[in-house]
Amino acid sequence: MIRRFRRCGHAPGALTPEDQAVVDEFRAMLAAVRSPEPWTPGSGRDIAVRVGPFIERAHPRLGDDHGTEMLAVTLVHPDAPNAAAHRHGHDLGYNGRGWLRCETTAILGAWQPAYTMLTHAAANLPLPDDVGMDRAHYGVHVEARRPDGTGYTLLRLGPYPQTWLASRDADRLNTHLAGRAALLIPGYTVTAQNAAFDVSDHASYTDPHDADVTALLAAAVARSSA
């Protein structure tokens, strides 16, 4: 995880400029780890987050901090936004992960270039499939269930960028269904609930943005009954 260097030869004497640069870089990293720069939510600054024994650079999504315990971030290559860093990040699995839910306890502080040598990228290692963060997209699943628990998903709504937006629409639908959830589709009870947004199956979702979710539900019921 830490870059190692070797001086040419074994003779004593002053460090070469190259060796001195590596020593300075190492000292800066130690200072950054020992005295992290505080990070303030809403500042828009990138943060340093722990991913296993490594430290990675993460970009927070403004407006999507979950109190003091959770916020949405996307992991980025430490040298972003350089084109070479983009290619390297793609090869190592930095790109395409989307927004992730990061617990604030995993945040070391504001990102500093000195942390670069502690990243997977510096070690030329791919990010693990499981970085310890769930996706920060949310959905609402409207389920039609028989009394024995079998049934099917009538409607999927999403993605929602914040969990409270998904909860709001789920509550709206359940309020709309109150007293008639068992009457819409004979033999089934229809309910709405929060769910994780399945990015790999995004085509099965209906975008709820600027839409009347009760109208979307009515259309789904009509298709199911046709």
Side-chain angles (χ1 to χ4, degrees):
M1 182 169 67
I2 296 175
R3 295 175 184 167
R4 303 191 180 278
F5 66 95
R6 180 179 300 170
R7 296 182 60 193
C8 296
H10 303 283
L15 293 174
T16 66
E18 293 79 9
D19 286 346
Q20 186 63 55
V22 174
V23 170
D24 292 343
E25 184 182 8
F26 184 78
R27 287 173 175 169
M29 178 274 293
L30 288 179
V33 171
R34 290 170 179 168
S35 301
E37 184 178 349
W39 173 79
T40 303
S43 65
R45 296 188 61 186
D46 286 355
I47 55 178
V49 299
R50 297 179 181 86
V51 176
F54 294 81
I55 294 176
E56 295 295 339
R57 180 181 178 184
H59 181 70
R61 181 166 62 191
L62 292 180
D64 194 24
D65 50 15
H66 298 266
T68 58
E69 299 179 355
M70 194 81 64
L71 69 156
V73 304
T74 184
L75 297 178
V76 295
H77 190 281
D79 296 328
N82 294 340
H86 179 80
R87 292 191 297 271
H88 194 221
H90 181 272
D91 293 339
L92 298 182
Y94 282 83
N95 304 350
R97 288 179 179 263
W99 294 103
L100 304 170
R101 299 176 66 192
C102 176
E103 295 183 3
T104 54
T105 54
I107 299 174
L108 182 63
W111 171 258
Q112 301 181 54
Y115 294 130
T116 295
M117 67 166 56
L118 301 178
T119 64
H120 285 80
N124 205 31
L125 294 173
L127 285 173
D129 292 336
D130 182 5
V131 294
M133 305 179 201
D134 295 328
R135 289 190 179 275
H137 287 119
Y138 309 92
V140 172
H141 291 183
V142 181
E143 306 286 347
R145 296 294 172 190
R146 300 186 185 94
D148 65 358
T150 61
Y152 62 98
T153 301
L154 179 65
L155 176 66
R156 291 183 177 186
L157 299 174
Y160 294 88
Q162 299 186 36
T163 186
W164 71 267
L165 292 172
S167 296
R168 180 198 62 185
D169 277 359
D171 290 343
R172 182 179 298 169
L173 289 172
N174 284 322
T175 298
H176 176 73
L177 290 166
R180 57 198 187 101
L183 303 176
L184 289 182
I185 303 175
Y188 294 82
T189 298
V190 179
T191 57
Q193 58 188 7
N194 292 356
F197 179 76
D198 186 354
V199 177
S200 64
D201 196 24
H202 63 88
S204 70
Y205 284 79
T206 299
D207 188 349
H209 184 66
D210 288 339
D212 180 349
V213 292
T214 59
L216 295 177
L217 173 59
V221 170
R223 289 194 300 269
S224 177
S225 303

